[in-house]
Amino acid sequence: ELKVEQNPLFLSMQEGKNYTIYCNYSTTSDRLYWYRQDPGKSLESLFVLLSNGAVKQEGRLMASLDTKARLSTLHITAAVHDLSATYFCAGSTSGTYKYIFGTGTRLKVLA
Amino acid sequence: NAGVTQTPKFQVLKTGQSMTLQCAQDMNHNSMYWYRQDPGMGLRLIYYSASEGTTDKGEVPNGYNVSRLNKREFSLRLESAAPSQTSVYFCASSVDRGWNQPQHFGDGTRLSIL
């Protein structure tokens, strides 16, 4: 059964710095999703990665997928305070309807 | 542009009481889901409905039942609430076949069981 692990669980970083959040998964999951959640709010879809080598970018966030390593990364470039949130990755096995979520990475960007 | 609507937003129950959480989507999505979110545990799938007329268990189905009333609506019922069911519950929907489209989430129901 698919398991999804994220690290780090907490991340406190200075504005202007770069950092990467890692998402490992246990079995075949050639679909990987990234979501953002602000405190007390719902989840917002950021990226859908559909194939090995996929890379997507939106503003200061860039996500990539390596299906051979069973790894997805969310890279933050020159962080700003507005990026403070909890970020979740989720995997889904082809042919099923289940999305399995990681435990989330709580990001705090300090001014 | 409502998307996924959950009711109620907040609820406090006593142990042993029952209640139904409602979810409706207006995006003509086929698949719908119920999750619970607990601190440090991410989102865990309770039940899902791949299409109208079908429901299946997720990771943590015990103590819950669901009904896919029609294509728009998917309800979650707690028959006899327990303190361990205190959580934030999210409903989500996706277009079709789930796995190559992101899910759209409701705003959540914050449920406390005393």
Side-chain angles (χ1 to χ4, degrees), chain A residues 1 30-31 33 35 37 40-43 45 48 50 88 92-104, chain B residues 31 33 35 37 40-43 45 48 50 57-59 90 94 97-103 105-107 110:
Chain A
E1 179 139 333
D30 54 0
R31 302 295 186 265
Y33 311 84
Y35 293 86
Q37 185 181 37
K41 302 292 187 183
S42 185
L43 280 80
S45 175
V48 180
L50 301 180
F88 290 95
S92 183
T93 303
S94 175
T96 77
Y97 294 86
K98 294 182 182 181
Y99 296 73
I100 303 299
F101 281 77
T103 51
Chain B
S31 302
Y33 308 79
Y35 292 90
Q37 184 176 31
M41 302 197 70
L43 276 78
L45 181 64
Y48 64 100
K57 294 178 181 179
E59 301 168 85
F90 285 100
S94 64
R97 290 188 61 81
W99 52 273
N100 64 342
Q101 294 288 337
Q103 294 172 305
F105 284 82
D107 288 338
R110 283 146 185 82

Side-chain angles (χ1 to χ4, degrees), chain A residues 62-78:
Chain A
M62 183 174 71
S64 65
L65 178 62
D66 181 344
T67 57
K68 291 183 172 59
R70 296 179 182 166
L71 172 68
S72 180
T73 60
L74 181 66
H75 187 72
I76 302 153
T77 301

Side-chain angles (χ1 to χ4, degrees), chain B residues 1 11 34 41 55 57 61-62 65 69 72 75 78-80 105:
Chain B
N1 192 15
Q11 185 71 48
W34 276 105
M41 302 197 70
T55 60
K57 294 178 181 179
N62 290 346
N65 287 301
L69 304 169
R72 290 187 63 249
S75 63
L78 287 71
E79 290 291 351
S80 179
F105 284 82

Side-chain angles (χ1 to χ4, degrees), chain A residues 21-37:
Chain A
I21 299 171
Y22 297 89
C23 176
N24 294 88
Y25 52 95
S26 60
T27 65
T28 301
S29 174
D30 54 0
R31 302 295 186 265
L32 202 293
Y33 311 84
W34 285 95
Y35 293 86
R36 168 182 172 143
Q37 185 181 37

Side-chain angles (χ1 to χ4, degrees), chain B residues 17-92:
Chain B
Q17 287 185 315
S18 62
M19 84 160 293
T20 300
L21 308 186
Q22 307 286 354
C23 175
Q25 51 91 10
D26 62 1
M27 296 173 284
N28 201 35
H29 285 175
N30 286 317
S31 302
M32 297 185 74
Y33 308 79
W34 276 105
Y35 292 90
R36 61 179 289 174
Q37 184 176 31
D38 301 295
M41 302 197 70
L43 276 78
R44 292 183 292 168
L45 181 64
I46 304 171
Y47 271 93
Y48 64 100
S49 171
S51 60
E52 185 180 355
T54 69
T55 60
D56 285 286
K57 294 178 181 179
E59 301 168 85
V60 288
N62 290 346
Y64 305 95
N65 287 301
V66 290
S67 296
R68 183 76 183 265
L69 304 169
N70 48 55
K71 191 171 185 179
R72 290 187 63 249
E73 298 172 288
F74 188 38
S75 63
L76 178 72
R77 182 160 177 84
L78 287 71
E79 290 291 351
S80 179
S84 61
Q85 294 177 304
T86 293
S87 188
V88 180
Y89 291 85
F90 285 100
C91 177

